[in-house]
């Protein structure tokens, strides 16, 4: 079997961002080849929140109904004090929200989301998929980007899209800015049987329990059968980063929270933890025939729950522009950056700020709660910039 391949477009990384980019390209009739390092396409066993800006993309690509099939539409997002158990504020996801953005807010299992996108990719003749392909390096060769895999195979493409996540090999080539930064927080997460968590009024909501330097997010997924939990706390940051925030520290951090929150934390999966990282925004993601999308381009703190949503937005904008500038890939990449860098820089920046608001302590927490106290649950003013994004028509 030949180890040298010539393809028109190659996507490195078959996660949510990479597969959506492939699908968006194929919907324009553009051929694309996906290289995924894992032996199978797959996602971790946890939930993901998808705001209307993401649903708009899924709708356009024709996979929304599939995604909605197993997703849950929580009636509200509720910010609760993890210390007093009292409500701080809420967002009503009902009819007024849907009327404002044209789509609801949903929560779903990551595997269900990926499966819907993957099924659509498999049904597209313009997409070819390969797993077990670990891209080790990327370089330019004239008007071609070249990806070399650990197994010795080489892929030459007119356009290469790095959708290879936080530790992107493609980014090392196009930007070369070293390791992503530590946020200082550690997360534990996973979906468990809904019945294993005590019932309470509002269990079906998307609930953020917040306290000084910590929060616990809870919401149902997979039609309500599973209950997703994400417990996050500011870690002591001692020793090597991989060892930050062991389970004892998780319990210690949440010791001062309500019984219901501590119960959730007791049940959260402790097998694996995420030492959270992001990067400051950069002005360009591309070099020659290679560019980036999703976490490879703009890894962000998870406090706005927008990392995957932004990857979906990237995917359609990039595909639109590659279709519009078929004969000029660098021009497509330049237009893509002009549209997406400012937008994602804003989201990256606000995601960090949101972390400070959510984890506030002392006077800052008192101020936050006081400012939120009389908020109308249907006041969406501060969400418009985030949820009302529409890929520019000029890109199509
Ligand atoms: C605790 C937490 C909670 C979050 N919650 C939300 C949320 O509710 N909503 C939301 O929108 N976002 C959320 N996010 C962010 C979201 O998970 C990411 O932004 C999103 O998964 C990024 O998708 P991606 O496809 O860019 O990267 P990834 O999901 O990292 O996918 C990268 C893919 O590339 C493959 N790959 C990597 N290197 C190579 C290589 N060298 N060769 C070939 N393949 C390679 C990987 O195996 C993987 O399949 C959260 C993040 C965290 C940490």
């Amino acid at each position: 079997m030949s180890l040298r391949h010539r393809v028109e477009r190659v996507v490195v990384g078959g996660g949510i961002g990479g597969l959506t980019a492939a699908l968006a390209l194929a919907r324009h009739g553009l051929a694309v080849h996906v290289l995924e390092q894992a032996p199978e396409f797959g996602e971790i066993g946890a939930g993901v929140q998808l705001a209307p800006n993401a649903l708009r993309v899924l709708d356009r690509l024709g996979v929304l109904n599939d995604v909605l099939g197993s997703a849950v539409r929580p009636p509200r997002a509720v910010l609760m004090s993890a210390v007093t158990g009292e409500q701080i504020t809420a967002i009503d996801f009902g009819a007024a929200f849907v009327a404002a953005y044209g789509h609801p807010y949903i929560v779903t299992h990551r595997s269900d989301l990926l499966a819907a996108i993957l099924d659509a990719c498999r049904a597209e003749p313009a997409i070819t998929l390969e797993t077990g392909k670990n891209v080790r390096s990327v370089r330019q060769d004239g008007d071609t980007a070249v990806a070399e895999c650990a197994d010795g195979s080489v892929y030459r493409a007119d356009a290469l899209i790095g959708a290879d996540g936080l530790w992107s090999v493609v980014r090392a080539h196009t930007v070369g800015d070293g390791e992503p930064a530590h946020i200082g927080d550690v997360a534990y997460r996973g979906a468990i049987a809904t019945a294993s968590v005590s019932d309470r009024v509002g269990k079906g909501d998307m609930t953020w329990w917040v306290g000084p330097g910590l929060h616990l997010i809870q919401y149902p997924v997979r039609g309500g059968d599973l209950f997703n939990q994400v417990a996050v706390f500011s870690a002591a940051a001692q020793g090597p980063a991989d060892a930050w925030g062991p389970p004892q520290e998780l319990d210690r951090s949440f010791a001062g929270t309500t019984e219901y929150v501590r119960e959730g934390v007791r049940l959260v999966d402790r097998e694996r933890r995420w030492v959270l990282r992001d990067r400051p925004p950069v002005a360009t993601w591309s070099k020659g025939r290679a560019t980036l999308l999703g976490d490879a381009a703009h890894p962000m703190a998870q406090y706005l729950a927008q990392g995957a949503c932004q990857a979906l937005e990237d995917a359609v904008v990039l595909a639109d522009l590659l279709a519009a500038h078929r004969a000029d890939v660098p021009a497509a990449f330049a237009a893509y950056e002009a549209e997406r860098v400012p937008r994602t820089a804003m989201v990256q920046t606000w995601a960090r700020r949101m972390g400070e608001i959510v984890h506030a302590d002392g006077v800052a927490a008192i101020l936050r709660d006081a400012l939120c106290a009389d908020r109308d649950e249907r006041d969406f003013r501060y969400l418009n910039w985030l949820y009302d994004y529409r890929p520019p028509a000029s890109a199509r």
Side-chain angles (χ1 to χ4, degrees):
M1 198 177 74
S2 168
L3 288 176
R4 307 187 92 67
H5 307 271
R6 182 78 180 84
V7 292
E8 283 176 82
R9 287 156 216 93
V10 68
V11 174
V12 179
I16 292 166
L19 288 180
T20 307
L23 187 59
L25 286 164
R27 295 296 199 232
H28 279 290
L30 301 179
V32 55
H33 189 71
V34 180
L35 301 172
E36 165 58 41
Q37 66 178 1
E40 303 283 341
F41 292 99
E43 259 289 348
I44 58 158
V48 63
Q49 305 173 40
L50 295 174
N53 55 316
L55 267 58
R56 211 167 284 131
V57 171
L58 297 172
D59 195 8
R60 205 187 115 188
L61 296 178
V63 290
L64 182 59
N65 281 342
D66 238 16
V67 173
L68 289 178
S70 52
V72 170
R73 280 178 64 169
R76 303 194 309 158
V78 187
L79 198 67
M80 302 283 286
S81 164
V83 181
T84 65
E86 279 168 23
Q87 179 177 317
I88 298 169
T89 188
I91 301 167
D92 184 335
F93 286 147
F97 183 91
V98 178
Y101 301 117
H103 285 290
Y105 197 102
I106 64 166
V107 285
T108 191
H109 198 286
R110 283 170 182 263
S111 309
D112 298 345
L113 173 64
L114 196 80
I117 301 168
L118 183 59
D119 284 351
C121 285
R122 288 196 166 125
E124 267 289 351
I127 300 177
T128 43
L129 302 165
E130 267 191 293
T131 52
K133 289 289 177 184
N134 181 3
V135 172
R136 279 279 178 80
S137 69
V138 174
R139 62 185 162 82
Q140 307 286 323
D141 182 10
D143 285 346
T144 311
V146 185
E148 293 190 7
C149 298
D151 63 3
S153 51
V154 176
Y155 293 79
R156 301 175 67 85
D158 300 330
L160 181 147
I161 300 161
D164 49 344
L166 185 62
W167 296 97
S168 172
V169 168
V170 183
R171 186 182 181 109
H173 166 68
T174 60
V175 185
D177 55 352
E179 288 199 355
H182 289 295
I183 293 168
D185 295 344
V186 169
Y188 286 76
R189 58 177 160 168
I192 53 176
T194 301
S196 59
V197 182
S198 304
D199 279 334
R200 68 169 188 93
V201 176
K203 194 177 167 190
D205 289 330
M206 213 257 303
T207 309
W208 286 63
W209 302 92
V210 304
L214 60 86
H215 72 270
L216 173 72
I217 297 179
Q218 295 180 316
Y219 54 80
V221 292
R222 200 162 284 166
D225 294 344
L226 295 179
F227 199 62
N228 188 66
Q229 300 202 106
V230 189
V232 179
F233 60 99
S234 306
Q238 282 157 356
D242 288 350
W244 289 1
Q248 318 81 279
E249 198 181 327
L250 166 71
D251 290 326
R252 249 194 339 266
S253 300
F254 281 84
T257 59
T258 66
E259 170 51 30
Y260 192 83
V261 172
R262 277 183 283 125
E263 180 201 39
V265 170
R266 266 198 305 280
L267 294 170
V268 82
D269 186 358
R270 283 145 191 258
E271 282 295 298
R272 190 176 160 195
R273 60 182 181 268
W274 282 261
V275 177
L276 299 175
R277 293 177 178 253
D278 69 357
R279 287 183 189 273
V282 289
T284 58
W285 301 328
S286 312
K287 184 172 180 179
R289 296 301 181 115
T291 196
L292 306 172
L293 68 69
D295 276 8
H298 44 68
M300 58 184 68
Q302 81 292 356
Y303 299 104
L304 288 177
Q306 276 285 321
C309 300
Q310 292 303 307
L312 296 181
E313 287 184 3
D314 290 343
V316 285
V317 173
L318 179 57
D320 287 350
L321 288 162
L322 280 168
H325 300 271
R326 259 170 218 241
D328 193 347
V329 170
F333 287 172
Y336 165 64
E337 287 179 351
E339 172 61 25
R340 296 300 302 162
V341 167
R343 160 91 175 150
T344 53
M346 181 106 143
V347 184
Q348 279 174 291
T349 307
W350 271 102
R352 276 255 185 165
R353 284 190 193 150
M354 188 65 179
E356 289 162 21
I357 294 169
V358 164
H359 285 189
D361 193 5
V363 176
I366 293 169
L367 263 175
R368 175 197 62 204
D369 297 355
L371 285 169
C372 286
D374 296 326
R375 237 197 91 251
D376 179 350
E377 293 187 8
R378 294 189 193 128
D379 178 358
F380 310 130
R381 259 177 304 171
Y382 301 107
L383 303 174
N384 288 343
W385 73 276
L386 194 53
Y387 297 164
D388 212 16
Y389 176 81
R390 281 146 217 277
S394 58
R396 300 219 188 148

